[in-house]
Amino acid sequence: MAVIKKYTAEVVSVKSEIADVYTVEFCSKGKPFKYAPGQFLHLALDQYDPSMQWPESRCFSMQSAPDEEFIRITYAVKGSFTHRMKEELSDGKIVTLKLPYGDLFTQPHRKEKVVFIAGGTGITPFLSLFNHFSFKEYVNPSIYMGFRRKAFDIYATELKHVEQFIQSVSYEDYNGMLDIKSIFQANGVDSTYFLSGPPQMIKHFRQYLIINNVMENHVLTDEWE
């Protein structure tokens, strides 16, 4: 099991290509970050005092590969905490990160006939794998992505190395939502499926796959909320 550590970190960049969706990079002010592809962190905006309880925080998937210098996350402004992030995170801001959590890709799974299905910012934990050397172990994987609108598809640079594996990209306002039925028909019962996205999407897709005889341990999900 991974050892959870606290890191004092500094914001090195904040970018927004679409309203209320932000990509933030953090550098460690001490020891190097240590995590595996597909893991997530806790972000605290308030200064951490070791003599006090851990302050309010939220979980975010790390979309950067573990061998990158900076940790990168993308978030959408939805609740009070992410509104604080929008107001308070800027270059030079000091925060506290606690990581790593999760075992999305470290749990046992096959590397052949693997299907990655991502809805919206659910693509972020997959990016940490797609841009890591360990992704070369996967044999002809299939990638499916869905976004509300084309404007939300902001990951072209990070997906450049896996373009040949992308089977489809769905834009809800143009050609509808991701269709688990057609994805299943294309990949079959003996594939391993990774699901990441809104909770309702994960729940529905997982139920559909299991009802259609995909083994439960072949349906792996990114869930931490």
Side-chain angles (χ1 to χ4, degrees):
M1 179 176 289
V3 177
I4 308 300
K5 296 182 179 180
K6 299 178 181 70
Y7 297 83
T8 300
E10 179 180 347
V11 175
V12 294
S13 73
V14 180
K15 298 177 181 178
S16 178
E17 296 184 35
I18 186 169
D20 286 339
V21 176
Y22 292 86
T23 298
V24 186
E25 288 189 316
F26 304 94
C27 70
S28 175
K29 299 297 289 181
K31 52 187 177 291
F33 296 123
K34 188 174 183 180
Y35 59 99
Q39 294 190 300
F40 63 91
L41 56 77
H42 280 258
L43 163 66
L45 296 173
D46 298 318
Q47 185 173 358
Y48 169 62
D49 181 346
S51 67
M52 304 289 287
Q53 289 186 335
W54 175 251
E56 181 186 14
S57 63
R58 289 294 183 276
C59 301
F60 297 94
S61 295
M62 294 177 277
Q63 73 190 67
S64 47
D67 51 3
E68 295 183 44
E69 180 181 2
F70 302 143
I71 280 181
R72 184 166 55 259
I73 66 170
T74 294
Y75 74 95
V77 180
K78 293 181 179 179
S80 60
F81 192 87
T82 49
H83 272 90
R84 280 192 64 193
M85 291 172 65
K86 176 182 177 179
E87 296 298 321
E88 297 180 24
L89 290 183
S90 59
D91 294 4
K93 167 76 173 178
I94 301 298
V95 299
T96 305
L97 307 179
K98 189 161 57 170
L99 64 117
Y101 293 90
D103 62 352
L104 185 60
F105 301 123
T106 57
Q107 58 190 308
H109 64 278
R110 298 180 304 175
K111 304 296 177 68
E112 305 84 19
K113 298 197 70 175
V114 178
V115 182
F116 298 90
I117 307 173
T121 56
I123 190 64
T124 54
F126 294 168
L127 294 174
S128 69
L129 174 67
F130 295 164
N131 290 291
H132 190 248
F133 66 85
S134 61
F135 189 62
K136 294 180 180 178
E137 300 173 5
Y138 291 79
V139 180
N140 294 322
S142 296
I143 300 170
Y144 297 84
M145 300 180 295
F147 300 95
R148 279 187 284 168
R149 302 192 302 274
K150 186 175 177 58
F152 285 85
D153 185 1
I154 59 175
Y155 307 97
T157 300
E158 292 168 276
L159 289 164
K160 182 186 298 185
H161 300 300
V162 298
E163 287 177 340
Q164 67 271 34
F165 303 122
I166 298 175
Q167 304 303 312
S168 71
V169 182
S170 298
Y171 302 118
E172 189 174 339
D173 64 339
Y174 178 71
N175 54 358
M177 301 175 66
L178 282 167
D179 181 8
I180 187 59
K181 181 178 179 180
S182 63
I183 294 173
F184 174 70
Q185 289 175 340
N187 294 279
V189 70
D190 58 343
S191 292
T192 295
Y193 294 84
F194 282 98
L195 309 176
S196 180
Q200 282 301 112
M201 185 205 89
I202 292 177
K203 180 180 179 180
H204 170 62
F205 284 16
R206 186 175 187 275
Q207 287 177 341
Y208 181 91
L209 293 169
I210 292 173
I211 288 172
N212 283 277
N213 299 314
V214 178
M215 296 175 60
E216 288 195 34
N217 62 347
H218 287 175
V219 183
L220 307 175
T221 61
D222 180 55
E223 296 178 278
W224 35 255
E225 292 187 317

